[in-house]
Amino acid sequence: MEVFCLGLPEQTTDTHLKKSFLPVLNALSIYTFHCRKMRKGLATLTIVDAEKAQKLLDRYGPLQNGGRRHPKQQLKLFGKSVTLTKSRNNPPDEFLLRSLEEEEAARSQCVPKLIPSTATKVQKSFAISSFSCGLWDYRGQHAVYVDYFRYRREGTIFFGKSSLKISMPAYNNHPELEIQYDYSSINGSIYLGKPSNPTVTISLEIAPRLYEITPSAENVSDPATLARLTEDLKMLLQTRKLLKSRIDSLGKASDAVAATCFTYQFVLSQTADLQRILDLKERQIPKLVSWKTSTIAPQITYCNQLALFLTSVAHQELPFRLKYQLQMLVWNGILSPDKVTSLISTVVHFSQRVGVDLAVHCIQQLARKVQYAGPEADQAEFELSMLAKFILDFADTGGRDEGYLPYTRKSHPNGTWIHRATVTPLGIYLSGPYWESKNRILRRYPDHTDFFMRVELMEETGDPMRFETDVSLDQIFHERFRTVLLKGFIIGDRHFEFLGFSHSSLRSQSCWFMAAFITETGEPLDARSIIRTLGDFSHIRSPAKCAARIGQALSETVPSVDVDIGVVEIVEDVERGDRVFSDGVGTVSQSLIEKIWEKYAVRAKVKPTVIQIRFAGAKGMISLDTTRTGDVLMLRKSMRKFEAPDAFNIEICGSGIRPLPLRLNRQLIKILEDLGVSEQPLIALQQEEVDELRATAQSPILAANFLEKANLATSAMIPTLVRTLVRLQLNFLHDRFLRQMIELSVLVKLRELKYRARIHVPMGFTLHGIMDETGLLREGDVYCPIINDATGRREVLVSANVAITRSPALHPGDVQLVNAVDVPDDSPLNSLHNCVVFSQHGTRDLPSMLSGGDLDGDLYNIIYDERLKPKRVVEAADYPRVEAISLDRAVERSDIINHFLTFMQQDQLGRIATLHQSIADQKAWGTFDQECLVLAELHSTAVDYSKTGIAADISRLPKNKRTRPDFMANGPRVEIAETIEIAESQNPSAEDEEEASYYRYYRSQKVLGLLYRAIDEHTFMEELQSSTKDFNTNSPDVFRSLWSYVQNETAGFLWKHCRETAKDIKEIYEDNLSSLMYQYSPTPWASTITELEVFIGNIVGKTHGQTKRQREASMNMREDYERLVEFIVSQIRNKEAGREEALERSIACMALGLENDEASGPVRRGRSQALSFRWIAASVCLQEIERLQKTRRF
């Protein structure tokens, strides 16, 4: 039942209402309800139990008495009389009721009902008189808190479900403030002072989130102020809600402190609250420790310390790479400015003695291995003499071999070491250098790559800045980020300024900065002059297009061959009416592609015949044309974007080396369902994968096959190791590290199925699209030649009514049926493989009918599983072509920056897709519903936003309901520690309501809901781990058993003289592993991912699964780790010396694994156990033993 509430104060929010109604409703045994604030003091209450709702109305509703109506019992909230009546909206929203029923069922199972009069309310909110920001330091042997910035203002500190929140009410002309500190970012314990100094002190890994809260629209009446507001602010004001804005500062005096000091102290107003806080029992709250905390004032202000440090670094005669590392120590909050300033002279002398490479590496090790300062840390480690000694000792013990240093090892010729900066709302944090693939600019200036820097604009957590419900991000985007992009920043003595961004980096909210330099020829270059060298952009008047064209030179590519201008042909496109059938595709002759193969895909067994390229201002796909003789590169006019006369190297972005597997996703599954595909085959396909995953963890052989198939831990040769262990009658599951490896690998795949519906379709594949140059294919025909990975044979798909689509697909017409045909034996198309060839005939090109695709590199999905063929198809969407926003003048640097920022703030792609998913589930017509069709059109506009500068019109968005299907709910967090665990979901209490989800979830009865609920990850993991629960205590040590086998097989071999070499190799591995753990962390300046994540090549998402950013990072991380393992294996085998003593070295490396790798100690940054090294060494050792056995005569 829905109840109408009248007479409420306009300033109340949904959260305030729920807290106020809670005791009233609990008294009537109503525990599950929904509040929604409306305008003009109105609100609705939705109660799932109609009988109990009627009891509420019987008590507080109106009674008729003559001509007047009055309540039987007056309800007062916020000091005002509130009237309750039954709503005329009958019945209430179906999906809201379903979500409330779900919540009521969950509460009845998990939470025993307490009688309100006997329930004890735990106090979680406490008054404070001020708070400050500073650092831990030491006076003698005692830790002291140095107060660098104090904010003297009364407020409250609240211990919530997942975070600590500070609230300070408005006073005078100061708005209300809110500061949020996530528990997950708190390092160590929460320290509570003594009665003489009643304080709460926390140390963070990252900066907190700051909010400013202002009243509703009635307080913003000035027309000039209203005119400056952006659309999201206006919309929030119009709803008369409190306006919550992210801010980047508490005032100029706090800026430098908040950016680099991560220790906060709160002064309690009541001494007695110390014990009340200590008594809090919630397990999500970090450990609470009573400590006699001393607070002192600094002798020199933090701003003065920082200014002195920056001046000292800038004027020192040090290479930039060392200045960068020193500044990183300060900007990342690792050491205070005064300590690093005092270390500079040591670093100068040290670098002169050992060289720049080793000096840089040693400072990185200092940053990663120094303890977090605090009461429980060893104060001796923070003395200047000890910090200097650490650097010197590390050089003496770790720098014996130049190969030890990552900077001296060249992994592949198309990479280089690049520094990275992350700009957040509060600070700028430095990391690296990291090995990155080159782009055209980096290849052009190989001796000046440290003048370029990758810069990311991120949330404090390292996640992209995203739209927040009822929160304005204007100040962050248009003041904080805009200032950095326009003015740049200084590191050492170099001023870095904005250069540009590629298409992919735009969506990932990153860009390139550079500092001015002088080339070997004496040419001075800065960001503006470098862009002029790339080509002629003067004719481009659209900021979005100009940025995209410049971005072609910033895209990661692989160089192949230089060609003479004479081999290039520019031809007209194939057009029919206003349709371009050859949009983005050209051809290459046999002799020229063979030259490309000599530079690209050298090791690939299958040489690609379709290649995605960048060339002289052109971009798109080229396909092999065997009819052309000599060297010929044929480009179409649609491929040419600008003139670049000095860029005649064919740069490669991708190719069809192999057919990619086809995995479904939620959008495609929903469209297939709406087109008549039965739920049964989808459920069956998912169940097949789940069964395979379950069997994987039970059988070593199946586990090895799974790892190989998924390309997990293959670089470390673990699949082969597992099979060898089976032959030796040893079970890899008896080893904790190997067991966790397979558990985490399986769990990652399981969560891909549950939370993204990434179901593998064996009878399908994903291919690059090109056009039929011969004109042979008829309208509606496609040609799909592939090389079968299993057999190595070329196969051609021949089938009528094959489903074809492209992601992302939101419109039901994005899935079409085509005929997959073969071609005559003498057709030039027979030279192609691993591609889908489209016809050039018809009234409209097929790629444009598939979610607006083209042929400049798009991938297409082909499904030939009869069970998944749509029962019907509908006409594809045909949206009008949108012209890019153009200026009446040349595009300037500030225009491109504005486009970058506007895109970051107004990119609604994810929001539209999410809303589409929700509405498609709720509407009877699914994706055919008019609201979904509007969203599909808006999504198409949003996809092109980066190229047109035209954002989707969010005023056309359907109303965003606060109910969603259950399959859209975030999943629990995965915790990787002694075991792999899935955190339990917790129901928020009333006090925690603001931290609870904005949405309520109901059980979806559509196929996506069935697929989602078919997987119970908790039960799956419990079953998986229960079968191995006795292995820790009751099973033999696998590694020691294997060591016994090695000793027996190598009896008589002398290997102990290789121990020092083995130690060096292990240290190389550990340091590079630690570097990868930092590099691929969302906050590389503060924390790491785990060794297991690097080892299996998958970054585990914090919640229900990997983000797109994490998936892409996982691919890069896997490649980097493979190169590291390849190097380590070559060192163990001593390849450069012809494998001399390879067996002896492998035995020595394996012997190191017997040592205790899990020594306990204080919490340190980037502390790696490197449990994986011994298994890499074991894999190599077993292979060397096998090689030895083959040479023996007996």
Side-chain angles (χ1 to χ4, degrees):
M1 180 186 292
E2 192 170 81
V3 177
F4 208 43
C5 313
L6 301 87
L8 293 162
E10 293 194 18
Q11 291 76 19
T12 56
T13 65
D14 292 347
T15 302
H16 296 145
L17 282 176
K18 180 158 187 176
K19 288 181 180 179
S20 299
F21 270 116
L22 197 67
V24 176
L25 298 177
N26 282 179
L28 296 170
S29 299
I30 300 173
Y31 301 99
T32 305
F33 59 93
H34 176 71
C35 291
R36 184 169 69 90
K37 175 70 187 304
M38 302 167 71
R39 297 185 182 183
K40 299 181 180 180
L42 306 178
T44 59
L45 269 177
T46 306
I47 300 171
V48 69
D49 191 320
E51 290 184 8
K52 291 179 180 179
Q54 188 59 52
K55 289 181 181 179
L56 175 70
L57 289 174
D58 291 344
R59 178 176 296 188
Y60 298 109
L63 293 174
Q64 195 75 27
N65 185 8
R68 301 183 61 187
R69 303 177 70 190
H70 61 87
K72 180 178 180 181
Q73 180 177 334
Q74 185 63 62
L75 176 62
K76 286 201 170 186
L77 298 177
F78 310 104
K80 295 187 68 174
S81 296
V82 177
T83 302
L84 303 183
T85 62
K86 185 175 180 180
S87 171
R88 296 177 182 177
N89 181 22
N90 195 20
D93 180 82
E94 171 195 353
F95 298 100
L96 176 58
L97 284 179
R98 283 166 58 179
S99 69
L100 290 172
E101 289 169 357
E102 280 290 296
E103 185 177 328
E104 180 66 21
R107 285 179 185 272
S108 63
Q109 292 176 7
C110 302
V111 183
K113 297 295 188 295
L114 296 174
I115 301 173
S117 59
T118 63
T120 302
K121 184 177 180 179
V122 178
Q123 181 181 350
K124 296 183 180 179
S125 184
F126 308 91
I128 61 172
S129 59
S130 67
F131 81 91
S132 64
C133 181
L135 293 172
W136 286 108
D137 204 350
Y138 299 90
R139 295 297 180 268
Q141 303 247 336
H142 302 289
V144 296
Y145 170 72
V146 185
D147 177 355
Y148 282 116
F149 169 78
R150 181 163 294 276
Y151 203 77
R152 300 185 184 280
R153 186 166 160 185
E154 293 184 345
T156 59
I157 180 172
F158 173 68
F159 290 82
K161 181 182 70 168
S162 60
S163 65
L164 196 67
K165 184 175 73 176
I166 303 299
S167 298
M168 295 186 164
Y171 81 100
N172 296 336
N173 293 323
H174 298 278
E176 180 181 348
L177 290 178
E178 184 179 296
I179 309 176
Q180 292 183 7
Y181 308 84
D182 291 339
Y183 291 145
S184 59
S185 71
I186 294 178
N187 173 57
S189 305
I190 297 178
Y191 298 101
L192 303 179
K194 299 297 182 180
S196 59
N197 186 24
T199 57
V200 178
T201 309
I202 60 174
S203 292
L204 307 173
E205 292 182 348
I206 58 175
R209 296 187 298 278
L210 310 182
Y211 296 90
E212 186 176 272
I213 303 172
T214 53
S216 59
E218 296 174 354
N219 292 330
V220 187
S221 55
D222 176 43
T225 302
L226 285 171
R228 288 196 300 269
L229 295 175
T230 56
E231 288 302 318
D232 63 329
L233 281 171
K234 290 177 183 176
M235 289 174 64
L236 287 172
L237 289 172
Q238 288 166 5
T239 61
R240 296 179 179 268
K241 293 181 179 180
L242 293 177
L243 177 62
K244 193 172 183 179
S245 302
R246 280 289 294 275
I247 58 176
D248 62 347
S249 171
L250 294 174
K252 287 187 177 179
S254 74
D255 287 353
V257 181
T260 58
C261 298
F262 299 142
T263 301
Y264 286 78
Q265 188 174 87
F266 316 98
V267 180
L268 297 171
S269 300
Q270 301 292 327
T271 302
D273 286 342
L274 284 170
Q275 188 58 48
R276 296 188 184 100
I277 295 174
L278 274 173
D279 290 340
L280 292 175
K281 303 300 183 184
E282 283 75 1
R283 67 186 184 95
Q284 68 270 16
I285 298 176
K287 183 181 178 183
L288 297 164
V289 176
S290 180
W291 197 277
K292 186 178 180 181
T293 306
S294 298
T295 303
I296 65 172
Q299 296 178 338
I300 306 175
T301 68
Y302 192 84
C303 289
N304 287 342
Q305 284 188 39
L306 188 60
L308 177 61
F309 163 73
L310 294 175
T311 301
S312 300
V313 169
H315 290 87
Q316 280 295 333
E317 291 295 327
L318 278 172
F320 171 76
R321 288 190 292 149
L322 275 173
K323 293 183 178 183
Y324 178 92
Q325 296 299 325
L326 290 170
Q327 197 155 326
M328 181 175 68
L329 291 175
V330 175
W331 275 15
N332 292 6
I334 296 168
L335 294 173
S336 63
D338 61 332
K339 276 192 169 61
V340 182
T341 301
S342 301
L343 278 174
I344 291 177
S345 59
T346 299
V347 172
V348 171
H349 297 304
F350 170 69
S351 64
Q352 291 172 348
R353 180 169 67 87
V354 302
V356 176
D357 290 329
L358 183 54
V360 166
H361 194 57
C362 290
I363 296 175
Q364 279 191 325
Q365 295 309 306
L366 172 67
R368 293 171 181 175
K369 297 189 177 180
V370 69
Q371 299 180 53
Y372 286 97
E376 298 175 78
D378 182 2
Q379 59 85 25
E381 285 199 17
F382 294 90
E383 295 176 2
L384 287 173
S385 59
M386 290 299 293
L387 293 172
K389 185 176 184 299
F390 176 89
I391 296 174
L392 297 171
D393 287 350
F394 185 83
D396 290 338
T397 60
R400 289 184 290 269
D401 184 0
E402 193 181 52
Y404 184 87
L405 304 174
Y407 320 108
T408 61
R409 214 181 65 243
K410 295 183 179 179
S411 300
H412 58 83
N414 193 47
T416 188
W417 295 99
I418 294 293
H419 294 101
R420 187 179 298 176
T422 302
V423 181
T424 73
L426 290 187
I428 298 178
Y429 305 108
L430 309 178
S431 57
Y434 299 129
W435 189 258
E436 293 204 20
S437 296
K438 292 179 182 177
N439 53 49
R440 188 183 308 166
I441 293 177
L442 294 177
R443 279 195 293 272
R444 184 174 289 183
Y445 305 104
D447 296 327
H448 296 85
T449 53
D450 62 359
F451 285 84
F452 297 88
M453 183 177 298
R454 186 181 286 278
V455 176
E456 300 173 310
L457 285 76
M458 294 288 160
E459 178 60 89
E460 302 294 348
T461 58
D463 298 313
M465 294 294 300
R466 295 299 187 205
F467 169 82
E468 289 186 61
T469 305
D470 296 342
V471 175
S472 168
L473 300 175
D474 259 29
Q475 184 170 332
I476 305 303
F477 283 110
H478 296 292
E479 293 183 30
R480 168 64 176 165
F481 288 167
R482 180 178 172 81
T483 299
V484 173
L485 290 171
L486 285 174
K487 296 184 177 180
F489 49 82
I490 296 174
I491 298 178
D493 55 353
R494 293 183 185 177
H495 180 201
F496 285 84
E497 58 181 349
F498 175 83
L499 175 62
F501 49 85
S502 66
H503 176 73
S504 60
S505 68
L506 173 64
R507 293 205 174 274
S508 64
Q509 299 185 357
S510 69
C511 55
W512 285 92
F513 274 45
M514 70 161 291
F517 62 89
I518 299 175
T519 66
E520 294 81 355
T521 60
E523 179 186 8
L525 289 175
D526 60 12
R528 292 169 180 80
S529 56
I530 274 192
I531 288 174
R532 288 195 294 269
T533 68
L534 298 178
D536 182 12
F537 307 103
S538 60
H539 64 289
I540 303 175
R541 292 290 187 264
S542 164
K545 281 191 175 181
C546 187
R549 302 307 172 237
I550 293 171
Q552 288 180 218
L554 293 167
S555 298
E556 294 181 2
T557 54
V558 177
S560 59
V561 295
D562 291 316
V563 298
D564 186 86
I565 188 62
V567 308
V568 180
E569 295 181 1
I570 307 297
V571 303
E572 296 291 335
D573 279 284
V574 177
E575 299 183 27
R576 309 232 190 279
D578 61 346
R579 303 291 183 181
V580 180
F581 284 68
S582 58
D583 189 7
V585 65
T587 63
V588 60
S589 65
Q590 180 77 44
S591 65
L592 184 52
I593 202 170
E594 287 176 357
K595 291 177 181 177
I596 294 175
W597 291 341
E598 291 175 3
K599 300 286 186 179
Y600 174 77
V602 175
R603 297 183 181 179
K605 295 180 180 178
V606 177
K607 304 302 181 184
T609 56
V610 292
I611 302 174
Q612 186 181 12
I613 67 165
R614 301 283 187 270
F615 174 79
K619 63 188 287 281
M621 293 292 296
I622 54 174
S623 63
L624 173 60
D625 183 356
T626 54
T627 66
R628 305 303 302 269
T629 58
D631 288 352
V632 180
L633 178 64
M634 187 272 282
L635 304 177
R636 288 194 165 86
K637 286 189 174 180
S638 60
M639 301 175 69
R640 301 185 70 189
K641 307 302 180 182
F642 63 94
E643 295 295 331
D646 296 329
F648 287 106
N649 184 279
I650 298 177
E651 299 172 333
I652 300 174
C653 304
S655 66
I657 290 179
R658 63 180 58 86
L660 301 176
L662 170 60
R663 294 191 178 275
L664 302 177
N665 55 49
R666 285 176 175 173
Q667 288 91 348
L668 180 53
I669 289 173
K670 182 56 187 164
I671 290 175
L672 291 175
E673 179 184 38
D674 293 341
L675 294 178
V677 173
S678 169
E679 66 190 37
Q680 296 305 320
L682 294 165
I683 294 173
L685 283 171
Q686 177 177 274
Q687 190 58 47
E688 287 173 13
E689 288 204 71
V690 173
D691 291 343
E692 183 179 335
L693 291 175
R694 185 176 285 110
T696 290
Q698 304 300 324
S699 164
I701 296 299
L702 291 179
N705 295 340
F706 165 75
L707 292 173
E708 275 186 340
K709 181 179 176 181
N711 193 27
L712 300 173
T714 52
S715 59
M717 301 168 287
I718 297 302
T720 303
L721 171 71
V722 170
R723 294 189 182 101
T724 303
L725 290 175
V726 171
R727 182 169 55 82
L728 299 176
Q729 298 184 336
L730 295 172
N731 190 338
F732 81 101
L733 292 172
H734 293 189
D735 180 81
R736 182 173 68 85
F737 178 80
L738 294 180
R739 183 170 65 253
Q740 285 190 335
M741 172 207 66
I742 198 67
E743 287 177 355
L744 187 60
S745 299
V746 166
L747 183 58
V748 167
K749 295 297 181 183
L750 186 76
R751 287 165 77 87
E752 283 280 288
L753 289 170
K754 182 174 180 66
Y755 296 107
R756 296 183 61 225
R758 297 289 285 162
I759 301 171
H760 179 233
V761 180
M763 299 178 71
F765 32 70
T766 302
L767 302 168
H768 283 288
I770 60 170
M771 188 191 74
D772 171 23
E773 299 289 343
T774 68
L776 178 67
L777 299 179
R778 297 171 298 180
E779 181 180 8
D781 288 350
V782 296
Y783 177 62
C784 300
I786 65 164
I787 303 295
N788 188 306
D789 277 345
T791 64
R793 296 177 59 184
R794 185 177 184 274
E795 300 173 356
V796 176
L797 175 64
V798 178
S799 177
N801 292 326
V802 170
I804 187 167
T805 185
R806 171 182 167 271
S807 291
L810 275 75
H811 190 282
D814 288 337
V815 178
Q816 295 291 316
L817 291 176
V818 294
N819 294 318
V821 301
D822 203 349
V823 296
D825 293 343
D826 59 350
S827 171
L829 297 182
N830 281 307
S831 64
L832 301 174
H833 51 252
N834 297 339
C835 61
V836 52
V837 184
F838 293 97
S839 170
Q840 59 171 273
H841 300 296
T843 56
R844 181 179 176 184
D845 57 303
L846 181 58
S848 70
M849 299 165 65
L850 307 174
S851 194
D854 56 32
L855 300 178
D856 71 351
D858 286 356
L859 291 166
Y860 295 87
N861 309 124
I862 295 92
I863 304 173
Y864 56 97
D865 188 327
E866 290 288 339
R867 300 171 298 171
L868 300 183
K869 287 185 180 180
K871 299 297 183 289
R872 59 170 175 154
V873 292
V874 297
E875 185 178 355
D878 190 6
Y879 306 124
R881 186 179 296 273
V882 178
E883 292 297 327
I885 294 177
S886 296
L887 307 175
D888 59 358
R889 55 172 174 79
V891 175
E892 298 175 354
R893 176 171 166 269
S894 60
D895 298 319
I896 294 177
I897 288 174
N898 286 338
H899 170 63
F900 184 79
L901 283 172
T902 306
F903 180 87
M904 282 182 64
Q905 187 172 20
Q906 296 187 8
D907 180 23
Q908 302 291 329
L909 201 60
R911 182 183 177 189
I912 293 169
T914 299
L915 189 56
H916 180 276
Q917 228 174 93
S918 178
I919 292 177
D921 187 82
Q922 295 175 7
K923 298 292 186 178
W925 289 92
T927 54
F928 285 91
D929 186 87
Q930 186 58 38
E931 288 187 350
C932 285
L933 296 177
V934 169
L935 286 167
E937 181 180 357
L938 293 174
H939 192 270
S940 176
T941 303
V943 166
D944 291 335
Y945 180 21
S946 61
K947 296 178 286 186
T948 64
I950 298 176
D953 182 2
I954 60 173
S955 67
R956 296 181 61 197
L957 287 178
K959 185 178 179 181
N960 187 14
K961 292 184 178 181
R962 293 196 178 189
T963 53
R964 285 180 173 179
D966 53 356
F967 60 80
M968 294 182 69
N970 284 348
R973 184 178 68 256
V974 174
E975 297 175 346
I976 305 173
E978 290 299 311
T979 58
I980 307 295
E981 293 184 2
I982 301 173
E984 292 292 335
S985 300
Q986 296 179 342
N987 292 322
S989 64
E991 294 89 344
D992 295 323
E993 190 62 31
E994 288 188 39
E995 297 183 31
S997 172
Y998 180 80
Y999 296 97
R1000 292 183 181 275
Y1001 297 91
Y1002 61 87
R1003 288 170 68 92
S1004 168
Q1005 299 306 316
K1006 306 291 177 61
V1007 65
L1008 286 171
L1010 299 177
L1011 290 168
Y1012 172 78
R1013 291 189 297 277
I1015 296 176
D1016 184 336
E1017 59 184 329
H1018 286 280
T1019 302
F1020 184 95
M1021 285 302 291
E1022 287 172 4
E1023 293 174 354
L1024 187 67
Q1025 294 175 338
S1026 65
S1027 62
T1028 60
K1029 63 182 179 181
D1030 296 327
F1031 286 169
N1032 283 324
T1033 56
N1034 301 334
S1035 302
D1037 186 309
V1038 179
F1039 191 80
R1040 291 190 178 276
S1041 298
L1042 188 60
W1043 174 248
S1044 297
Y1045 166 78
V1046 168
Q1047 285 184 303
N1048 182 62
E1049 291 296 311
T1050 60
F1053 279 82
L1054 302 178
W1055 56 267
K1056 291 187 178 181
H1057 62 286
C1058 297
R1059 284 183 63 87
E1060 291 304 311
T1061 300
K1063 286 180 180 179
D1064 285 348
I1065 295 172
K1066 184 171 183 284
E1067 287 170 357
I1068 294 172
Y1069 177 79
E1070 288 176 346
D1071 283 334
N1072 282 272
L1073 174 66
S1074 176
S1075 180
L1076 291 176
M1077 290 165 65
Y1078 269 102
Q1079 178 176 351
Y1080 290 100
S1081 164
T1083 53
W1085 60 92
S1087 61
T1088 70
I1089 59 174
T1090 64
E1091 178 185 8
L1092 268 176
E1093 289 171 281
V1094 177
F1095 191 70
I1096 69 169
N1098 265 298
I1099 301 169
V1100 179
K1102 290 183 179 179
T1103 53
H1104 57 293
Q1106 292 178 319
T1107 63
K1108 182 179 179 182
R1109 175 183 171 86
Q1110 289 168 333
R1111 289 193 298 274
E1112 292 173 350
S1114 293
M1115 292 174 60
N1116 294 331
M1117 179 180 72
R1118 196 174 300 157
E1119 293 175 1
D1120 287 347
Y1121 184 67
E1122 286 174 358
R1123 284 192 288 270
L1124 170 61
V1125 173
E1126 182 180 349
F1127 175 79
I1128 292 299
V1129 170
S1130 70
Q1131 291 296 300
I1132 296 175
R1133 286 181 170 151
N1134 201 15
K1135 278 190 176 181
E1136 291 186 0
R1139 298 178 72 142
E1140 183 181 348
E1141 293 192 318
L1143 177 59
E1144 291 85 345
R1145 288 161 71 108
S1146 67
I1147 298 171
C1149 288
M1150 191 176 172
L1152 295 178
L1154 296 170
E1155 300 175 2
N1156 183 11
D1157 286 315
E1158 302 184 50
S1160 59
V1163 178
R1164 299 173 185 271
R1165 296 172 172 85
R1167 189 165 174 268
S1168 171
Q1169 303 297 340
L1171 299 177
S1172 54
F1173 177 77
R1174 66 180 188 174
W1175 290 112
I1176 296 173
S1179 296
V1180 176
C1181 190
L1182 289 174
Q1183 289 186 2
E1184 291 302 317
I1185 289 174
E1186 184 178 356
R1187 186 165 168 262
L1188 173 68
Q1189 291 170 339
K1190 290 179 180 179
T1191 61
R1192 286 176 174 172
R1193 296 183 179 179
F1194 53 87

